[in-house]
Amino acid sequence: MSPWMRPSTLEFFRRAKAKKNYPVTEWLHGWFYMRFPYAYIGNGLGTRQPAKLWLRLRALWRRWFPPKAAPEGISKGGLAWAEGYHGKVIPLQAAREWVTVREPIAAALPEQVIPFQHARDLILEMPDHLALLDCPCRAARENPCLPLDVCLVVGEPFVSMVIEHHPQRSRRVSSAEALAVLEAEERRGHVHHAFFKEALLGRFYAICNCCSCCCGAMQAQRGGTPMLIPSGYRAQVDDDLCAGCGECEAVCPFGAVSAAAGPAQVDAAACMGCGVCVSHCPQEALALVLDPQKGAPLEVHSLISTPPSC
């Protein structure tokens, strides 16, 4: 069978056609993203192997669909990108729940959870279908963090798409294997992000386990493009327990913790609530607390519902 029309591609197009007010341009965008993720993402990160086809398509895309207006301090292109392609930080415990849920989910997430106009649907069909994909961000680097296979694709039709189109760079995994990857990445000090993309049916599709040195979304965030949403929590220090060892400062992926003098201090504005500092504190002096200014957490068990109709 032609690699251009695998069964998963046909299924993806069928679902796209059934989605109301979903333009054909997004069908093609989503297909291109899943078919050529290493060109799509790697070129944006400055890989030494640029995709000429992608460069041409991106130029046409920007001509046909010019970026929308953006608030001061954020580029027009950056805002448009974030509106349709963003990640929600989730602590390890929340990530564990995502790879162990067995019931289908169909929910349109409120703005308190996902504060963007687009890509807010959380629809999981066959949630026990899981796959690991070699991280396109890491693969684009000359000296990437290892291992590469840390992008966890969740549910259909996305799992079948990566397996059929990238058999050499992906593999199906069980919940137990997925849990082991999440926990290993947590030990490495990496962050779990639940990713949503407008071009992928406006839905959640993956949990990426990101390092601050390779991750394109974290790089964009530092550059002023709001691609990442806080978890809904922030870290809090117990001064009585803190020994000022500096371990939390060393592992914080967002540079939100300082232990230069005395007990550690958390910059509430910079903290994304990932929990990496909490899991690495030898004194157990840190904890995650709910912070209304950070939005609402993405909690899977509160969203379990009847199977979606599409």
Side-chain angles (χ1 to χ4, degrees), residues 98-123:
W98 281 112
V99 301
T100 55
V101 65
R102 290 291 177 268
E103 297 183 49
I105 296 174
L109 298 174
E111 287 189 8
Q112 293 92 333
V113 178
I114 304 292
F116 292 119
Q117 293 180 358
H118 308 293
R120 286 168 50 180
D121 287 346
L122 204 156
I123 297 175

Side-chain angles (χ1 to χ4, degrees), residues 5-302:
M5 292 301 285
R6 302 281 187 181
S8 59
T9 299
L10 294 172
E11 179 62 16
F12 175 75
F13 287 153
R14 183 191 71 79
R15 293 168 191 249
K17 183 178 180 181
K19 188 174 174 65
K20 292 182 179 179
N21 302 317
Y22 196 61
V24 173
T25 51
E26 289 296 345
W27 302 19
L28 299 176
H29 182 179
W31 170 81
F32 190 92
Y33 175 79
M34 296 299 283
R35 182 66 183 86
F36 303 105
Y38 301 99
Y40 185 107
I41 295 173
N43 182 69
L45 294 175
T47 178
R48 293 178 180 271
Q49 300 176 353
K52 293 182 180 179
L53 174 61
W54 166 236
L55 289 172
R56 292 170 183 167
L57 287 175
R58 185 169 63 175
L60 286 172
W61 192 272
R62 288 177 174 174
R63 184 186 307 169
W64 295 336
F65 303 99
K68 61 189 75 174
E72 184 177 354
I74 300 175
S75 70
K76 291 182 180 179
L79 180 67
W81 192 258
E83 280 284 355
Y85 186 13
H86 49 76
K88 171 88 169 176
V89 176
I90 52 175
L92 177 60
Q93 183 53 43
R96 287 190 183 112
E97 292 175 356
W98 281 112
V99 301
T100 55
V101 65
R102 290 291 177 268
E103 297 183 49
I105 296 174
L109 298 174
E111 287 189 8
Q112 293 92 333
V113 178
I114 304 292
F116 292 119
Q117 293 180 358
H118 308 293
R120 286 168 50 180
D121 287 346
L122 204 156
I123 297 175
L124 276 183
E125 298 177 67
M126 300 182 181
D128 58 333
H129 285 207
L130 304 167
L132 283 173
L133 176 70
D134 285 358
C135 174
C137 294
R138 295 188 189 185
R141 308 293 183 177
E142 289 188 359
N143 297 294
C145 290
L146 298 176
L148 292 180
D149 58 341
V150 294
C151 286
L152 185 60
V153 182
V154 183
E156 295 294 351
F158 310 119
V159 167
S160 291
M161 291 184 82
V162 299
I163 293 295
E164 291 181 1
H165 287 297
H166 308 286
Q168 304 304 315
R169 308 191 78 160
S170 66
R171 58 190 173 94
R172 292 185 183 271
V173 292
S174 65
S175 291
E177 290 172 302
L179 285 170
V181 169
L182 293 173
E183 290 164 359
E185 286 296 287
E186 179 85 9
R187 290 193 295 271
R188 295 183 183 105
H190 298 165
V191 188
H192 317 293
H193 296 137
F195 267 93
F196 296 73
K197 189 169 177 64
E198 184 178 12
L200 296 184
L201 309 176
R203 288 166 43 176
F204 161 77
Y205 65 99
I207 296 174
C208 293
N209 298 287
C210 304
C211 54
S212 59
C213 49
C214 296
C215 176
M218 297 177 78
Q219 183 182 76
Q221 192 83 3
R222 290 192 294 270
T225 298
M227 277 191 69
L228 298 177
I229 311 160
S231 69
Y233 297 92
R234 64 173 171 80
Q236 181 173 279
V237 182
D238 185 326
D239 291 350
D240 293 333
L241 294 177
C242 180
C245 67
E247 181 68 19
C248 53
E249 180 177 357
V251 300
C252 178
F254 299 101
V257 188
S258 173
Q265 301 292 318
V266 176
D267 181 342
C271 180
M272 299 290 281
C274 66
V276 170
C277 62
V278 176
S279 63
H280 283 76
C281 178
Q283 306 299 322
E284 299 185 355
L286 285 140
L288 289 179
V289 296
L290 285 169
D291 184 344
Q293 296 185 6
K294 301 289 187 180
L298 182 55
E299 296 176 340
V300 62
H301 290 302
S302 66

